[in-house]
Amino acid sequence: MEINGHTRLIGLIGNPVEHTLSPVIHNGISKAMGVQSVYVPFKVEADGLATAVHGAYELNILGMNVTVPHKNDVMEHVVELDEAAQAIGAVNTLVRVEDKQGYKGYNTDMMGLRRQIQEDGISLQDETVVILGAGGAAKSVVYMCLLEGAKKIYLLNRTVEKAQQIADSMNRIIAMSMQDYNQITEDNLIVFQATSIGLAPHVEDVVLDDIEFYKKVKVGVDLIYNPANTRFMQLVTQAGGRAYNALKMLLYQAVIAYELWHDRKVPQDIIDDVYIELKRKVYPKDNIVLIGFMGSGKTTFGKACAKKLGMEFLDADEYIVNKAGKSIPQIFAEDGEEAFRQLETEVLMNWRDHLSNTVLATGGGMPLRKENARLLKEIGRVEYLTATTKEIYDRVKGDTNRPLLQCDNPYEKICELMKQRKCLYENAADVVIDTNSNDLDAIVEDMMHVR
Ligand code: ATR
């Protein structure tokens, strides 16, 4: 996107800000929607906060996120405060209000968590909720639970006074010391883990490790998203409950802020794409995924690349043939193309969760479904191997195991299919690699270089 005189600035104030993931989300949305705004992190010291907020207004900045350590102090510098942000006592989003010459403060963390649990099908209506922790994050959870109609809320904290303070300011909350967890007698609990314990690299840590407690838990939500499967989540699932991390909360707090700033809805399809990018940033994978038309060299160059990098090589079509127990032409003939694509999707979901250190050569049609293209991105870095129509034709003309080419004029068929697919391949790829030269070493070098 071109930055020009119409470009609006949005951003983040905090300290530190170097590791923020918010630019991935906001700039990803702007790019996908063609919106002229750019998101930039700003490191702001505590004693510069007031100047920064007023300066941002004067610079015509459309809106800002606010993070540690300014979430509380920034409340003194807003011209208006959303009711939830006021009750929670923390602001993470500033929205420009022209006629008041300043910003209105919101708490989209709370709204983001609310949207996440709604999407995950968790209802808090009349439920008993346990919140572990009583810091800033826990306050947002408490407020959301009240909003969503929880019947009873246990707030457990190492420092019970902090839990008590929150309980004193809000209804339906029972403050307790963390060590008294076994005094909770109800079961079917919905538990939010809102302490900082278990955050990477301390992935083995957990605030409560008694399996008897977890037997009473039906749903556990960890506000930590790194690692993806925290010890807390593992204990919940081991005891038979459902567990979620809060990466979607991170996503949705940003989407909601974005919608407030730009006064427009972000379509779900764009949110889904941005979520994949976010997951790739937070949980990077070490696989290389090769896509491209038949004959583009996925097997030849893929094998050479895997060998050079000491990686495994996997051919998706071969794997599917083994799994189905019949050849691809047979699957097409007996079950139809749709059944074959469905089989591909199932296999991809499995690889997304288990594949590592592998060069994966995919079938030519694999990225054509949007769902599959997303899964491929989740599996690894997607490289699109290309060649001209003539080169492709020369490579595949004698091959009888290509169902799509069993026709009178295969050259024309290739032209037509390539025209249809080029754009889809490009959209599904992180990088495009030209294989026309047939120079194995140079092509493998390109494939490795972009890794
Ligand atoms: P956040 O804004 O992420 O909630 P916070 O306000 O610093 O961060 O709160 C951190 C939470 O993790 C608190 O509930 C804290 O308990 P205390 O209030 O007793 O400090 C909890 N926490 C952090 N380290 C802990 C530990 N080692 N054992 C138990 N609880 C811990």
Side-chain angles (χ1 to χ4, degrees):
M1 181 182 42
E2 183 200 356
I3 295 179
N4 60 30
H6 297 282
T7 306
R8 296 297 298 267
L9 205 58
I10 44 184
L12 166 72
I13 52 179
N15 187 11
V17 292
E18 286 79 3
H19 301 292
T20 176
L21 292 161
S22 296
V24 178
I25 310 175
H26 293 288
N27 292 326
I29 298 174
S30 286
K31 189 172 166 212
M33 292 181 72
V35 170
Q36 284 271 10
S37 63
V38 175
Y39 188 95
V40 183
F42 298 102
K43 179 177 156 189
V44 173
E45 303 287 346
D47 59 8
L49 182 61
T51 321
V53 173
H54 294 124
Y57 187 85
E58 295 304 331
L59 289 169
N60 200 28
I61 289 178
L62 186 57
M64 308 276 267
N65 280 137
V66 183
T67 189
V68 179
H70 305 311
K71 283 188 178 185
N72 308 112
D73 294 342
V74 79
M75 294 169 73
E76 287 170 35
H77 308 296
V78 297
V79 292
E80 218 180 320
L81 204 50
D82 173 67
E83 192 185 318
Q86 178 143 34
I88 294 164
V91 160
N92 81 319
T93 299
L94 300 177
V95 178
R96 193 175 178 85
V97 187
E98 290 299 343
D99 57 1
K100 292 197 177 165
Q101 308 242 315
Y103 293 96
K104 178 170 178 180
Y106 288 85
N107 189 311
T108 68
D109 288 330
M110 184 281 291
M111 301 186 218
L113 180 61
R114 191 177 187 203
R115 187 146 162 194
Q116 150 161 4
I117 66 158
Q118 282 167 355
E119 188 174 294
D120 289 334
I122 305 166
S123 164
L124 301 182
Q125 187 68 46
D126 296 324
E127 298 284 352
T128 304
V129 173
V130 177
I131 299 167
L132 307 175
K139 270 193 187 168
S140 291
V141 183
V142 169
Y143 189 88
M144 187 216 43
C145 292
L146 294 171
L147 216 56
E148 288 290 298
K151 182 172 64 186
K152 195 173 188 184
I153 300 168
Y154 290 104
L155 186 59
L156 275 60
N157 202 37
R158 172 180 60 180
T159 318
V160 71
E161 294 76 20
K162 268 166 78 181
Q164 193 56 55
Q165 253 175 25
I166 298 175
D168 290 344
S169 66
M170 296 184 191
N171 295 327
R172 278 180 272 162
I173 297 163
I174 300 158
M176 278 169 55
S177 168
M178 189 68 76
Q179 65 209 26
D180 295 336
Y181 65 88
N182 52 12
Q183 291 178 12
I184 299 171
T185 52
E186 292 93 337
D187 48 17
N188 284 323
L189 301 172
I190 297 176
V191 183
F192 291 89
Q193 199 300 112
T195 77
S196 44
I197 302 175
L199 188 63
H202 306 288
V203 298
E204 293 301 323
D205 293 355
V206 62
V207 66
L208 278 183
D209 64 1
D210 184 352
I211 196 72
E212 290 308 312
F213 170 74
Y214 290 93
K215 286 181 184 161
K216 295 188 255 179
V217 178
K218 70 171 173 186
V219 176
V221 181
D222 199 327
L223 266 66
I224 291 172
Y225 55 80
N226 193 10
N229 191 12
T230 61
R231 181 104 182 85
F232 167 79
M233 290 166 64
Q234 290 168 24
L235 286 163
V236 170
T237 37
Q238 268 165 31
R242 282 188 290 151
Y244 302 87
N245 68 33
L247 191 65
K248 274 195 192 156
M249 172 185 175
L250 176 70
L251 171 76
Y252 282 124
Q253 63 75 30
V255 169
I256 294 164
Y258 192 96
E259 291 177 340
L260 286 168
W261 295 329
H262 297 87
D263 196 21
R264 59 198 283 186
K265 276 259 169 241
V266 181
Q268 191 60 41
D269 196 42
I270 289 177
I271 296 176
D272 293 344
D273 280 341
V274 168
Y275 185 49
I276 301 288
E277 283 309 314
L278 188 61
K279 278 207 250 184
R280 301 178 85 200
K281 276 271 181 310
V282 186
Y283 318 121
K285 293 275 175 68
D286 57 1
N287 304 305
I288 295 178
V289 177
L290 304 179
I291 62 168
F293 205 70
M294 63 181 88
S296 61
K298 290 165 297 190
T299 310
T300 312
F301 304 122
K303 278 186 176 161
C305 181
K307 192 166 173 213
K308 193 132 193 196
L309 287 171
M311 295 168 78
E312 298 294 321
F313 176 81
L314 184 60
D315 182 299
D317 280 350
E318 240 171 54
Y319 183 94
I320 288 171
V321 167
N322 281 336
K323 190 176 156 76
K326 44 185 157 181
S327 70
I328 292 177
Q330 248 180 317
I331 304 175
F332 267 69
E334 291 171 18
D335 312 315
E337 178 164 355
E338 194 48 34
F340 176 70
R341 301 278 168 239
Q342 192 52 43
L343 198 56
E344 281 185 323
T345 304
E346 280 166 29
V347 167
L348 287 173
M349 283 166 99
N350 183 31
W351 285 336
R352 174 193 59 191
D353 298 334
H354 303 293
L355 205 64
S356 79
N357 198 39
T358 298
V359 176
L360 175 68
T362 63
M366 207 170 224
L368 303 182
R369 270 189 175 193
K370 177 115 201 202
E371 191 186 352
N372 287 353
R374 283 191 177 126
L375 284 164
L376 290 173
K377 283 209 167 169
E378 286 197 75
I379 292 171
R381 178 179 182 90
V382 182
E383 300 185 5
Y384 167 29
L385 304 190
T386 62
T388 60
T389 317
K390 172 150 189 338
E391 176 65 28
I392 298 270
Y393 177 67
D394 286 343
R395 290 180 192 171
V396 300
K397 59 188 172 197
D399 193 340
T400 51
N401 197 31
R402 310 267 188 194
L404 290 172
L405 295 187
Q406 303 316 305
C407 57
D408 292 343
N409 192 339
Y411 183 75
E412 231 170 59
K413 182 78 180 172
I414 292 175
C415 288
E416 183 197 321
L417 286 174
M418 279 183 76
K419 210 166 131 194
Q420 277 170 15
R421 294 182 177 183
K422 185 174 181 287
C423 202
L424 291 165
Y425 285 146
E426 281 170 359
N427 285 340
D430 293 305
V431 64
V432 181
I433 295 187
D434 186 340
T435 69
N436 276 302
S437 70
N438 273 313
D439 179 338
L440 189 83
D441 289 340
I443 292 164
V444 168
E445 198 55 42
D446 276 353
M447 292 164 75
M448 286 163 43
H449 196 65
V450 293
R451 203 181 168 212

